[in-house]
Amino acid sequence: MLHTKTFIRSTLISLIVLSAFAFQAIEEDFTQFLSRKLMKYRHAFPPEKAFLHLDKPYYVTGDTLWFKAYLVEGALHAMDSASNLLYVDLIEHRTGKNSALKRVNLNGGIGHGDIVLADSIPAGSYTVRAYTNWMRNASDDFFFQKDIRVFAENEQLTIDKPSKIDFQFFPEGGQLVAGVSTRISFKAVNGAGLGQDVKGFVLNQNKDTVASFASAHLGMGRFQFEAAADQTYSAFLKDKDGKLMPVTFPTVDPSGYTMIVDNLSNPLKMRIIAYAKIPGKSEIPVHVVGHSRGIVAFIAKGKIGARGLMMNLFTTELPDGITHLTLFDDENKPVCERIVFIDHNRNLNVKLSPAKTAFKPREKSEVEVTVTDSAGKPVEANLSVSVTDGSQILQQPYDQNIVSYLLLSSDLKGFIEQPGYYFDRQKSDRKVNLDYLMTTQGWTRFKWNEVLRDSLDLPKYFVEQGVTLSGEVRRNNKKVTDKLVLSLYLSNDSLNTFMTAETQADSRFAVYNLVFEDSLKVRLQGMNKKGNQSLSFKLDPFLSPKVSLVKIPYNPVTVDAQRLNDYLKKAAQDQEITRKIRESRERLLQEVTIKAKKEVPRDSRKIYGSADASIKITPQMASGSMSILDMLAGRVAGVRVTGSGMNASVFIRGNTSEPQFVLDGMPVDKEMVISMNVHDVESIDVLKGAGAAIFGSRGGNGVISILTKRGNENYDYSQDIVPGVLVSQIAGFNVPRAFYSPVYNAGNAQNAIPDYRSTIFWAPMLKTDKNGKARFSYFNSDAVSNVDISAEVLSFAGVPGYGKASYSVN
């Protein structure tokens, strides 16, 4: 189970009832019931959120995409989420193909990596996607997703004109009730998936204009409307040429509930106004429930009378981000929903201070980062920094950053255009436009019908703190019904270990939380059971979550034509220089003669020196033996084998007990050795007396060391099939590469090489000290241009921050 934290926020609630009925105390039974249900659901499915900071918004084939990964607990955003394995995909829009899969090892919720954009991948639009195994229990809409563009050398930028407009109305609270005044929000999206400015009007059945509307921000807007009970309505958009386009108007219900929320007029509190039109009821007791990312903020009760119900709720104790409001009727059923954004400006302040405002080409730049909280106090935090050449890379207008993602995008379903705009404090109308977004793009991380169920489904996907090795065992192509002990020998350049696993009733087995880099060789077979050669094994492949192909946004990045041309030209020059350098290192030498004593490579499986006796197993020798002990009989002086098959015993002269058996360097029991396939053995070493002393007391009766063909690192087992044995490789954590940053000192040979890096510097693993400061330095390139610096910051308490700066190089 994931480790989670809970908090209780006490919210002062002031209720003003615009009816003849007095406010009543909160009903304890419903309050406790709902709080218990929410807490139970959050403990069963505690959310995780992943965020990636990329070094730039677009790339060219042959380039490298650098990323920093942040993983937080979904409610409080604390960096203590349980998963330690993060998957990063690169999905091609056109085909849905996963062009890269990276496994990132997270330490304290942070990690980093890179994706090489090989020349073999096609140019076009891609999505970089990040998720944990646990996150797969929810919709993939809540995976981190960022659209990028990969250009080919000499590519010409073409942008199709958006055509078709998708237009929708959204009555506030979810319902349009006849005779009740409410507000209707709307959103227009063009064929590229971006907001489209529109104007329009609403007609009644008599063709009279009863309302008009015009978008205010990115195709969104809102207008007041009261539907009449005896009317039907139609709506039209009107373009600049006067052409009309009909759009669907919401259905008018004869009865129901409405809820209007004013979160803008007062910075300290929100006002909720509820109306109801229910036949036979003059007053209706209701509850208004507010929760922030699944944690209960308040539950208030009142009565809706003929003049409605109004509540003034203080918001000072609510956390920054989205708060979800639900109106429950007198039967405790959810009837209206609305989300609001709470903005107390509690994010981190991030200041980037270059040592100068102007530098020279290849001059060393020094930058200081200062991070403080909303009160101006220094904060220790984790951060990542990207520095790009402004003549090649155009920073995206109001692009996604860690603040906008954690507080906004991660809790909303669907594409959000220019999310950074809503956090730009210089935009005076940002809060109004953000409220438009709240009424047109709902909060869908869970649904009330799922939360209020009597029993919750078990999670399908578990938390991973390492790589999982799982699969299925069959005997004679049938499921194994009895429990079977399996032996696994795992090895790579830095790891050699032996472990066991046990099959379950469904003939499956699993080993969890393996921590290793690159890849791991696996040797798997049955243990301590007869008939192991009739076993077959199948390892589970990792299957990435399915991708839903979408055509929008067609061109996910904004690119200046001149910048793109400079970028592609300089990228091509840089890659050509790299190729020439590589070729110059591969020169043909004249013939030389080298004389030296041949050095026999040491077998890493042998922790001992020379064996007292050694047998090289030949096919003829193996064919005439039923077990490994049979091959020892009569072939090594001083070694006596009695019995046969599973009842065989072996003794080394001078000892009354059997020796220690060692398989590819790992101590094992005799039963496993006897059950092995003799054709899988490469050689057998026998150690006596002092030679066995390296094994301590276990080697007191001597040692018999079995070396297998597949245990040899030089053995090609790819085409070899051995009954009852599976040898394979599994992928582990990817090893992140170090970003190359040149050092320009006098006499440095690389000074003669042209330098036009688009990403001038990348530092993914910086931390501020107790004074809230961090410093970094690098050398500028040859480009005469503006240089852009961006920093993503997250405190250990889960408070995000974002900063940017620029300077010139001339």
Side-chain angles (χ1 to χ4, degrees), residues 4-23:
T4 61
K5 296 180 179 178
T6 60
F7 72 88
I8 299 176
R9 295 190 177 275
S10 59
T11 304
L12 179 61
I13 304 176
S14 173
L15 300 177
I16 304 173
V17 183
L18 302 181
S19 67
F21 305 98
F23 167 67

Side-chain angles (χ1 to χ4, degrees), residues 526-809:
M527 180 176 176
N528 297 340
K529 294 287 182 179
K530 295 182 179 180
N532 283 340
Q533 292 187 16
S534 63
L535 297 178
S536 61
F537 307 92
K538 182 180 179 181
L539 298 182
D540 295 332
F542 177 79
L543 300 176
S544 298
K546 291 183 179 179
V547 177
S548 299
L549 289 179
V550 292
K551 296 182 180 179
I552 56 173
Y554 173 75
N555 189 13
V557 298
T558 300
V559 183
D560 177 80
Q562 183 59 48
R563 279 189 175 90
L564 177 61
N565 183 61
D566 290 344
Y567 173 51
L568 297 180
K569 181 179 179 181
K570 291 173 180 177
Q573 291 175 350
D574 182 65
Q575 293 184 26
E576 181 63 24
I577 290 171
T578 302
R579 283 192 288 266
K580 289 182 177 180
I581 292 175
R582 188 183 301 118
E583 291 171 0
S584 67
R585 291 173 179 167
E586 299 172 355
R587 296 176 179 173
L588 182 63
L589 300 178
Q590 294 181 353
E591 182 179 350
V592 294
T593 301
I594 300 175
K595 295 182 179 180
K597 184 178 180 181
K598 182 179 179 182
E599 182 178 348
V600 178
R602 185 179 178 276
D603 194 328
S604 60
R605 298 171 293 175
K606 297 183 179 182
I607 63 173
Y608 48 89
S610 299
D612 295 293
S614 184
I615 302 175
K616 181 68 175 179
I617 306 302
T618 64
Q620 294 79 8
M621 188 185 302
S623 298
S625 304
M626 296 184 61
S627 73
I628 290 177
L629 297 189
D630 291 339
M631 291 187 291
L632 276 173
R635 286 191 170 91
V636 178
V639 175
R640 178 170 56 92
V641 178
T642 61
S644 62
M646 297 297 293
N647 298 318
S649 299
V650 61
F651 300 92
I652 296 177
R653 182 181 299 165
N655 298 291
T656 57
S657 298
E658 291 189 283
Q660 170 67 54
F661 291 89
V662 176
L663 177 63
D664 286 332
M666 298 298 297
V668 295
D669 55 25
K670 186 181 74 173
E671 286 74 12
M672 181 177 180
V673 170
I674 293 177
S675 66
M676 286 182 59
N677 188 326
V678 292
H679 294 279
D680 195 32
V681 180
E682 181 180 70
S683 61
I684 303 174
D685 289 345
V686 177
L687 284 69
K688 311 174 185 177
I694 194 171
F695 290 92
S697 59
R698 292 181 299 179
N701 296 308
V703 173
I704 294 178
S705 174
I706 298 97
L707 304 176
T708 66
K709 298 175 182 177
R710 287 154 192 81
N712 190 327
E713 60 183 12
N714 297 319
Y715 180 71
D716 181 12
Y717 52 84
S718 59
Q719 303 299 323
D720 195 7
I721 300 176
V722 177
V725 177
L726 174 68
V727 179
S728 184
Q729 281 190 320
I730 57 174
F733 291 111
N734 292 96
V735 181
R737 296 186 303 158
F739 179 82
Y740 171 71
S741 183
V743 176
Y744 292 125
N745 296 322
N748 193 330
Q750 63 183 341
N751 288 354
I753 302 173
D755 178 8
Y756 290 100
R757 291 162 285 152
S758 57
T759 299
I760 298 172
F761 184 68
W762 168 250
M765 302 296 282
L766 296 176
K767 291 182 180 180
T768 56
D769 57 21
K770 62 181 180 180
N771 298 315
K773 294 185 180 297
R775 295 172 179 82
F776 58 92
S777 61
Y778 54 89
F779 288 84
N780 289 294
S781 67
D782 290 330
V784 176
S785 66
N786 286 329
V787 171
D788 297 311
I789 310 173
S790 65
E792 307 278 4
V793 185
L794 186 66
S795 74
F796 300 105
V799 183
Y802 172 77
K804 59 182 181 179
S806 63
Y807 62 84
S808 61
V809 176

Side-chain angles (χ1 to χ4, degrees), residues 262-271 312-316:
D262 177 9
N263 188 42
L264 303 174
S265 300
N266 192 314
L268 301 179
K269 56 187 177 182
M270 75 175 79
R271 182 172 58 181
N312 285 329
L313 308 179
F314 280 90
T315 60
T316 52

